[in-house]
């Protein structure tokens, strides 16, 4: 492929992957303040039905009259371990996604902020890895939360109130999937350009030799590089030895005077 066309293709792929990762990061961020991570309805009569829902930070309740009340978790040390781990992973996903966007903006071909093409490709590769780490953190968070809700709901021995998966978990799954897919494309193209191009290029050509033959000798010459054109010509005479043409010329070119015949 033409280098100019390939560079244009890589630029558009980087733009599309960055937009995909940015949308996924925004979806992940939107799930943190969302209250519907899980929900449950309690009551058999319409007028007395209550809705319970909660997220990583607080529990809430509302009734059919529209009155709702939320209460933050009282103590962080008293929370279960899975809830603390989900908090840490969700916050890590948001922070790493932000830095992934900064690195990708610096290294993309369309921004022209960085230095050489090789340095920009490596910065973009770092941004893709950061985005991928953010996506993994988000996917672990929502999968862990959803698995716990499903396990409690299907457990016949669980006597406490059972909940269902809320809308925030589904939004988080979608955002984490966008982060992982966009980061994979970024890492592929930037890694192919940033690391494969730095390897030494090996050429299949070796040093070539040419043999010049004459009647009495055989000599080998090393060919010059292909960039320079030099015509190889065997030597016409050798040191300490006269050619036959020279001796013949010497014999025929001898002059005689009149006194030589007297």
């Amino acid at each position: 492929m033409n280098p100019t066309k390939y560079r244009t293709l890589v630029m558009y792929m980087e733009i599309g992957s960055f937009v995909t990762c940015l949308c996924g990061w925004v979806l992940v961020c939107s799930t943190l303040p969302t209250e519907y991570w899980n929900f449950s309805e309690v009551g058999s009569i319409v007028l007395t039905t209550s809705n319970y829902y909660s997220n990583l930070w607080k529990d809430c309740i509302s009734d059919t009259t529209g009155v709702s009340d939320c209460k933050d978790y009282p103590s962080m040390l008293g929370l279960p371990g899975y809830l603390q781990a989900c908090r840490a992973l969700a916050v890590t996903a948001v922070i790493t996604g932000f830095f992934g966007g900064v690195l990708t903006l610096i290294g993309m071909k369309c921004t022209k902020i960085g230095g050489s093409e090789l340095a920009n490709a490596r910065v973009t590769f770092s941004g893709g890895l950061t985005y991928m780490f953010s996506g993994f953190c988000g996917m672990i968070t929502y999968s862990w939360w959803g698995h716990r809700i499903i396990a409690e709901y299907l457990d016949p021995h669980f006597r406490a109130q059972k909940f269902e998966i809320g809308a925030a978990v589904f939004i988080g799954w979608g955002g984490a999937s966008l982060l992982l897919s966009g980061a994979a494309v970024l890492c592929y193209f930037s890694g192919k350009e940033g690391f494969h191009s730095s390897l030494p290029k090996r050429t299949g050509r070796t040093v070539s030799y040419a043999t010049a033959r004459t009647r009495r000798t055989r000599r080998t010459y090393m060919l010059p590089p292909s960039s320079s054109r030099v015509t190889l010509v065997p030597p016409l005479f050798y040191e300490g030895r006269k050619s036959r043409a020279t001796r013949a010329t010497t014999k025929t070119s001898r002059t005689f005077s009149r006194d030589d015949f007297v």
Side-chain angles (χ1 to χ4, degrees):
M1 183 183 292
N2 190 0
T4 304
K5 293 183 179 179
Y6 180 76
R7 187 180 185 280
T8 305
L9 174 63
V10 173
M11 182 180 66
Y12 285 126
M13 293 300 295
E14 287 180 351
I15 294 174
S17 301
F18 173 72
V19 173
T20 303
C21 292
L22 184 62
C23 293
W25 179 72
V26 171
L27 291 177
V28 171
C29 293
S30 66
T31 60
L32 294 185
T34 304
E35 298 172 350
Y36 285 91
W37 281 60
N38 52 12
F39 69 95
S40 177
E41 293 184 0
V42 178
S44 58
I45 304 176
V46 178
L47 296 178
T48 59
T49 300
S50 300
N51 296 323
Y52 294 91
Y53 50 94
S54 61
N55 59 0
L56 297 174
W57 320 104
K58 55 188 175 180
D59 287 327
C60 299
I61 184 174
S62 63
D63 53 17
T64 54
T65 60
V67 178
S68 61
D69 186 20
C70 295
K71 181 180 180 181
D72 296 333
Y73 294 128
S75 175
M76 183 176 180
L77 298 178
L79 297 177
Y82 83 95
L83 184 58
Q84 296 183 6
C86 288
R87 280 183 175 183
L89 288 172
V91 174
T92 303
V94 173
I95 295 176
T96 53
F98 172 77
F99 286 106
V102 173
L103 291 174
T104 306
L105 279 176
I106 294 175
M108 288 173 61
K109 296 183 181 299
C110 60
T111 55
K112 298 179 181 180
I113 298 178
S116 62
E117 293 287 339
L118 181 62
N120 287 345
R122 292 181 177 180
V123 172
T124 307
F125 183 77
S126 301
L129 287 181
T130 310
Y131 265 139
M132 187 170 293
F133 182 74
S134 174
F136 274 119
C137 290
M139 186 64 70
I140 293 172
T141 302
Y142 305 115
S143 299
W144 193 355
W145 188 275
H147 172 73
R148 185 176 180 85
I149 293 175
I150 294 174
E152 291 178 352
Y153 189 86
L154 298 178
D155 187 6
H157 302 289
F158 186 75
R159 299 301 179 183
Q161 185 176 354
K162 295 183 179 182
F163 291 87
E164 296 182 9
I165 300 176
V169 179
F170 293 101
I171 295 174
W173 274 330
S177 301
L178 290 178
L179 280 172
L180 291 176
S181 58
V185 177
L186 276 177
C187 291
Y188 174 76
F189 283 99
S190 59
K192 183 178 180 181
E193 183 179 358
F195 294 96
H196 290 188
S197 60
S198 62
L199 298 177
K201 297 182 179 180
R202 297 182 178 180
T203 58
R205 298 188 58 184
T206 57
V207 180
S208 301
Y209 296 90
T211 303
R213 290 180 175 270
T214 61
R215 291 184 178 181
R216 297 186 179 183
T217 185
R218 178 180 177 181
R219 292 190 176 184
T220 303
Y221 303 90
M222 184 175 66
L223 290 177
S226 58
S227 58
S228 61
R229 298 181 179 179
V230 179
T231 304
L232 298 178
V233 179
L236 298 179
F237 62 91
Y238 305 98
E239 185 179 358
R241 183 182 300 176
K242 296 183 179 181
S243 63
R244 294 180 180 179
T246 306
R247 291 199 298 267
T249 305
T250 305
K251 292 180 180 181
T252 56
S253 62
R254 182 179 179 182
T255 57
F256 299 92
S257 62
R258 183 179 181 182
D259 297 334
D260 294 336
F261 298 96
V262 178

